[in-house]
Amino acid sequence: MNDADVQSIIELTRKYHRDQEASGQEFVPGVTPILPAGAVLDEDDRATLVEHALQMRIASGATALRFERKFAKAVGVRKAHLTNSGSSANLLALASLTVPELEDRRLRPGDEVITVAAGWPTTVNPIVQCGLVPVFVDVDLGTYNTTLERVEAAIGPRTKAIMMAHTLGNPFEATEIAQLAEDRGLFLVEDNCDALMSTYQGRKTGTFGDYATVSFYPAHHLAMGEGGCVLSNSVELARITESMRDWGRDCWCEPGEDNKCLKRFTYQMGDLPHGYDHKYIFSHIGYNLKSTDLQAALGLSQLSRIDDFTAARKRNWKRLRDGLEGVPGLLLPEATPGSDPSWFAFVLTLTEDAPFSRAELVDFLNARRIGTRLLFAGNLVRHPAYLDVEHRISGGLENSDIIMERTFWIGVYPGITAEMTDYMVASIREFVAKHR
């Protein structure tokens, strides 16, 4: 197939996308679904995927490397390593802190990691999977993040790390918690999967911790279908991450490259004979968590629109916040002081005296094709998977229990229009008015 054939296929792909868009229906209140989250994919995204598919870019390669460099620059960190999901990124980041070369700082089985109970399970699961002990703290209602005071109170003699998310795009007190971690000799892992391009005190989330993680699942700020990323400003940690992501091998040459380092047959490591092929020397107990060039190509196309996506999320959130101001029975969300969130969702908690239940309101919205979701696990320690897991609770988890009983969220992703947002506001107001 020559270049002209490729260009012809790509142009047909673009035409196909335009035809699909033209056949789309206009928004009909109560009929057209308003999704709580989703990817916004355009003509360039589809053409990019087809182009890379024609090139049979089915493994991780040059496009993945190009995305890593551009994405690291966009966030403001030195190193980025693509993974096959945000959950894998969390596992990879925490597991990378258990390696022997970190010496006395390394995390060992039985060490404690502070986290929150009201979150997504794969922020906590790596703690358990690495033989560590989660220490659960509560969050504030309104911001849905924990506080510096709670984290500091949770530190015990075996505490070695802090790992938690910026909830639904709303940053936690990252400057203060990062300083606490440094003062106490703790690692900090930021789960930034819901908060890409959010800022705290003028600095982007994902730049405060020893590691940060990102998800590129379609619900998130950039879509690759599946995918994630581990970010770090530490060259030492980034090198460990790359090795553990890539089977645990010691060699840094890309697959398919031979002796780029010019030292392939000159190493002596472990009990191996001198000159053993460096491509097959393994220095870590690793995984294969790489993404593909197809995913990275879509990520590059999406990355070019990240500023527009962020602006739309903020705009939709503010429209909902202004429209629902003063509605009785509802606690509206608040940005953490000093932050500028790139919102993942608009979260609502019913007040204690609300004359209606969450189930009633959610059922009403779902009947109007307005999608809703709970604030993830609500309280993880009450889920079947964690009942027998060794853990510690610092303070109470009263607010996490309230979230489990009375909290849900609706969408602000860029595919939601102003008309859709106004319909959500009008629907909630109508429901509440009927239950006074």
Side-chain angles (χ1 to χ4, degrees):
M1 184 180 296
N2 57 39
D3 290 345
D5 291 333
V6 171
Q7 288 304 312
S8 177
I9 292 171
I10 292 173
E11 284 306 314
L12 285 172
T13 300
R14 290 183 177 277
K15 181 180 183 302
Y16 172 81
H17 185 93
R18 291 191 295 268
D19 290 345
Q20 293 295 306
E21 291 287 296
S23 65
Q25 296 178 347
E26 293 185 1
F27 174 65
V28 179
V31 176
T32 306
I34 303 176
L35 302 177
V40 177
L41 302 170
D42 70 3
E43 179 181 325
D44 290 338
D45 295 329
R46 195 184 295 265
T48 294
L49 277 176
V50 169
E51 181 178 5
H52 278 70
L54 290 173
Q55 296 169 4
M56 298 296 286
R57 305 297 288 271
I58 59 174
S60 180
T63 306
L65 287 172
R66 188 160 67 252
F67 177 87
E68 288 173 343
R69 295 183 185 116
K70 287 195 173 184
F71 188 69
K73 184 177 180 180
V75 176
V77 295
R78 295 181 69 179
K79 295 290 184 178
H81 286 95
L82 272 173
T83 61
N84 55 9
S85 73
S87 297
S88 291
N90 280 340
L91 174 61
L92 181 60
L94 197 65
S96 295
L97 299 177
T98 68
V99 298
E101 55 256 56
L102 295 179
E103 299 179 338
D104 291 343
R105 293 198 70 198
R106 69 181 288 200
L107 305 184
R108 299 174 182 272
D111 286 340
E112 293 181 342
V113 181
I114 296 170
T115 190
V116 302
W120 188 258
T122 54
T123 308
V124 175
N125 290 354
I127 302 171
V128 179
Q129 290 159 338
C130 291
L132 308 168
V133 178
V135 178
F136 292 104
V137 296
D138 209 358
V139 299
D140 282 347
L141 299 177
T143 67
Y144 303 94
N145 285 307
T146 195
T147 60
L148 173 69
E149 291 74 22
R150 287 194 184 96
V151 173
E152 187 167 21
I155 297 173
R158 294 218 63 174
T159 304
K160 297 290 290 290
I162 303 163
M163 183 172 182
M164 57 190 186
H166 300 285
T167 306
L168 297 178
N170 197 17
F172 58 72
E173 297 168 318
T175 302
E176 295 84 353
I177 289 174
Q179 186 61 56
L180 173 66
E182 182 178 346
D183 293 344
R184 299 296 186 91
L186 310 177
F187 288 112
L188 173 61
V189 180
E190 292 176 78
D191 184 331
N192 201 44
C193 290
D194 288 349
L196 182 61
M197 308 307 284
S198 293
T199 63
Y200 182 72
Q201 296 181 352
R203 179 175 166 184
K204 287 178 183 173
T205 56
T207 66
F208 292 88
D210 298 281
Y211 279 125
T213 60
V214 183
S215 173
F216 302 123
Y217 189 72
H220 291 100
H221 292 57
L222 293 182
M224 288 186 181
E226 302 286 352
C229 200
V230 177
L231 306 171
S232 182
N233 275 314
S234 166
V235 174
E236 177 191 18
L237 291 180
R239 176 71 186 94
I240 295 168
T241 300
E242 183 175 331
S243 171
M244 293 190 69
R245 181 197 63 178
D246 298 2
W247 305 283
R249 67 186 186 135
D250 195 77
C251 182
W252 54 87
C253 295
E254 292 301 313
E257 291 181 345
D258 289 335
N259 203 27
K260 186 175 182 180
C261 62
L262 305 179
K263 296 181 180 180
R264 180 177 171 188
F265 300 105
T266 62
Y267 285 94
Q268 198 290 312
M269 300 180 71
D271 290 333
L272 295 169
H274 182 272
Y276 196 84
D277 189 344
H278 192 222
K279 289 178 73 68
Y280 295 101
I281 296 177
F282 299 91
S283 52
H284 298 101
I285 307 298
Y287 313 92
N288 178 7
L289 301 178
K290 297 190 303 300
S291 63
T292 68
D293 268 10
L294 278 172
Q295 293 166 277
L298 180 56
L300 280 168
S301 181
Q302 289 262 296
L303 185 58
S304 68
R305 306 199 303 284
I306 187 60
D307 290 340
D308 292 338
F309 291 160
T310 301
R313 287 177 176 276
K314 293 179 179 181
R315 183 170 60 248
N316 287 340
W317 188 92
K318 186 176 186 305
R319 197 176 186 96
L320 284 169
R321 187 64 173 73
D322 291 345
L324 293 172
E325 183 69 47
V327 175
L330 298 178
L331 174 66
L332 301 186
E334 298 285 351
T336 302
S339 73
D340 183 13
S342 176
W343 295 99
F344 179 80
F346 190 89
V347 61
L348 292 161
T349 297
L350 276 60
T351 60
E352 189 173 6
D353 61 353
F356 48 86
S357 69
R358 178 179 66 188
E360 289 172 323
L361 176 52
V362 166
D363 286 347
F364 177 83
L365 295 176
N366 287 341
R368 293 193 166 200
R369 309 298 302 279
I370 297 171
T372 64
R373 295 290 185 270
L374 301 186
L375 182 40
F376 308 138
N379 183 347
L380 270 170
V381 300
R382 294 175 60 182
H383 285 255
Y386 302 90
L387 294 180
D388 295 325
V389 167
E390 181 183 359
H391 66 274
R392 181 163 66 85
I393 296 173
S394 176
L397 297 176
E398 293 82 5
N399 288 340
S400 297
D401 284 333
I402 290 172
I403 289 168
M404 177 164 279
E405 299 290 342
R406 306 205 304 256
T407 299
F408 71 99
W409 55 266
I410 54 179
V412 299
Y413 84 103
I416 293 177
T417 65
E419 187 179 9
M420 293 175 178
T421 301
D422 291 344
Y423 180 65
M424 289 192 282
V425 169
S427 296
I428 292 171
R429 282 189 168 275
E430 179 183 332
F431 173 87
V432 172
K434 290 178 178 178
H435 287 78
R436 286 183 181 175

